[in-house]
Amino acid sequence: MGTFAAPTPAIVGALKCQKDSYLQTLDTEVVSCEEYIAPKTAQPSGKLKTKKSTDPTKGLADGDSNPSKTYLIEFADSVLFPEGGGQHTDHGSITTMNNESNDSIPITNIQRHGLRCIHFSPVPISSGTPVRQNVDFTRRWDLMQQHTGQHLLSAIMDCMDLPTIGWSMGQPGEMNYVELPRKPSDDEMKTIQEQCNEKIRDSMPITAETPEGRGSDSLPEDYDREKGVVRFIKIGDMDYNACCGTHLKQSSHIGLILLHHMQSIRGTNCRLFFTAGDRAIKMATESINSLRSIAVSLSSSSAPADVAAGVQRLGDQVSEARKKEKKMLAEIAKFEGERIMSYLQGHQTAFLHRATDGLDFINLVVFEIKDVVKDHGVVVLSSGEVKTPGSIVVIGKPGLVESMATKVKEVVSTAKGGGKGEKWQGKVTEWQKGEIEALKATAEAE
Ligand SMILES: [Zn+2]
């Protein structure tokens, strides 16, 4: 190791992947390798801890969710792009070329640290080791189609008084969005969609330029403006934008840009969702297939308008059925109320159990009988089924209610509740086998 003179590594801004975004393999060497020590996140209070555990992405980048070690490796150059400019990290692999072991090491996290491009590796590789880097080019191609697609989409909307305020690239299989200061009209949406695909057909050249002395306002705060390289991405004659990402070489490689829905955000701002290229085709295919399967369930045609009408019809039917059900339940409650009141003519106590409809039904019955039973006897109303939760209400003459509630708690092991005077109300955590029958026997004992 003593004879090893470390080459100066390429800085982010001038990485091989940024100079040639279609290159898939690079032979280079390890410049440095150190074990990754996760930053100590102070967790003195339970509050912080909860926050951490609810963020599923956090642990992955930290590497602290994985008990095995992680190593930070810097190479002389990199064909693997680190996360940046809104573009997600590349995936790929590293193979050592000194015959030590030719196992391919998977790399799924590459980050920019200042001007350095750092690969997170599960295996250490010593400095000076020659390696071959391979890019997962299916993933990279997808990311480039989304990113270059966003540049083109934003350039087109810029000319329509719809400047892009920000954007977010979705993970593979998800939608991307651009944030706009207002919602585009239907006509504007149509124009944007047409223009996008026209510019794609035009097959405009896309190039990266690094003009001397030209700054940009959009550089990250931790990027060294003095030593760094500011790259501008040029789409034909229509767009010139500072960006560190890897881009397609011509607009036709975007394939297509598909506009999705819009979402209001932060007052009058609007998120316009979109996908590009193979991802757009895949999503459109999934949508078509879903529409088809919904159409089959509805026994309608697959035409979007027919499916939408079918779902609307189904919704109307459901709310109609709910109304009917509510009415019917009220009728049953009225009927049961009358039955209880007539039973109380010859008895001190009455019992009613209904497996379904819970407290809603009980309250309907209570409403029917409360004025009569407060002067006459006591009634136990319950709901639920064995192994499920339930409700119990005891209603009647104050003294009788109290003694009946005590008996109820003796019979139903998980009953808890309270109340005084004419009404006691309780919850059953879980009805045990035989308890409903036992409650009936107790309630009807007198
Ligand atoms: Zn960009």
Side-chain angles (χ1 to χ4, degrees), residues 108-390:
T108 55
N109 187 9
I110 306 146
Q111 299 290 325
R112 181 182 64 80
H113 290 179
L115 294 173
R116 300 166 68 206
C117 174
I118 304 295
H119 299 63
F120 286 62
S121 167
V123 179
I125 317 173
S126 34
S127 298
T129 308
V131 297
R132 178 162 295 169
Q133 300 171 335
N134 280 300
V135 184
D136 172 348
F137 204 68
T138 308
R139 177 182 164 91
R140 161 72 79 72
W141 187 257
D142 169 61
L143 300 182
M144 291 200 292
Q145 283 186 317
Q146 311 316 309
H147 197 167
T148 309
Q150 178 266 320
H151 278 229
L152 180 62
L153 174 63
S154 291
I156 286 164
M157 291 193 298
D158 260 349
C159 304
M160 300 171 63
D161 192 28
L162 283 163
T164 296
I165 297 168
W167 88 288
S168 169
M169 180 189 282
Q171 291 292 345
E174 294 174 355
M175 288 180 286
N176 320 294
Y177 68 77
V178 286
E179 191 167 327
L180 304 169
R182 66 174 173 89
K183 193 172 178 252
S185 68
D186 290 351
D187 277 350
E188 284 175 322
M189 285 289 279
K190 200 164 163 273
T191 309
I192 297 164
Q193 179 69 79
E194 282 166 4
Q195 290 252 320
C196 281
N197 294 328
E198 195 184 304
K199 299 295 181 195
I200 288 168
R201 275 197 304 278
D202 285 350
S203 200
M204 292 183 294
I206 298 167
T207 49
E209 293 182 358
T210 52
E212 281 289 324
R214 184 159 173 174
S216 164
D217 300 335
S218 61
L219 290 179
E221 269 180 19
D222 63 336
Y223 192 84
D224 189 327
R225 284 155 192 270
E226 297 294 311
K227 297 183 190 132
V229 177
V230 183
R231 302 169 76 245
F232 285 82
I233 306 300
K234 193 171 176 237
I235 308 178
D237 293 325
M238 74 176 296
D239 192 47
Y240 194 73
N241 244 310
C243 179
C244 69
T246 60
H247 283 274
L248 298 169
K249 289 179 179 172
Q250 57 195 74
S251 65
S252 64
H253 287 183
I254 299 169
L256 81 157
I257 292 173
L258 192 63
L259 301 184
H260 297 243
H261 64 287
M262 288 179 275
Q263 185 186 60
S264 293
I265 188 105
R266 283 187 274 278
T268 57
N269 283 10
C270 165
R271 279 179 183 171
L272 171 57
F273 288 84
F274 73 97
T275 46
D278 303 339
R279 193 189 287 199
I281 295 171
K282 196 166 168 252
M283 279 196 118
T285 305
E286 281 169 5
S287 298
I288 291 164
N289 289 341
S290 300
L291 215 54
R292 173 80 198 132
S293 89
I294 297 169
V296 168
S297 308
L298 292 171
S299 310
S300 87
S301 88
S302 302
D306 286 351
V307 174
V311 170
Q312 176 73 48
R313 213 163 37 240
L314 195 65
D316 291 348
Q317 283 166 359
V318 168
S319 61
E320 192 58 34
R322 283 213 184 108
K323 262 187 233 160
K324 267 190 190 161
E325 190 193 342
K326 220 175 152 188
K327 218 170 147 192
M328 212 175 280
L329 205 61
E331 278 171 24
I332 297 171
K334 197 168 163 52
F335 171 81
E336 289 286 10
E338 278 161 12
R339 186 187 64 81
I340 288 166
M341 286 187 288
S342 103
Y343 184 82
L344 285 177
Q345 305 276 316
H347 301 81
Q348 267 278 11
T349 63
F351 176 73
L352 171 64
H353 181 86
R354 187 173 169 86
T356 56
D357 307 308
L359 207 52
D360 284 348
F361 177 74
I362 291 177
N363 285 335
L364 287 171
V365 179
V366 167
F367 178 77
E368 296 294 330
I369 63 174
K370 63 177 192 298
D371 290 339
V372 173
V373 299
K374 67 178 186 219
D375 308 315
H376 194 104
V378 62
V379 183
V380 178
L381 307 161
S382 61
S383 80
E385 286 172 272
V386 175
K387 296 286 163 208
T388 67

Side-chain angles (χ1 to χ4, degrees), residues 36 38 58-70 108 121-122:
Y36 174 62
K58 199 71 194 163
L60 289 171
D62 283 347
D64 61 2
S65 66
N66 189 340
S68 59
K69 290 179 177 175
T70 300
T108 55
S121 167

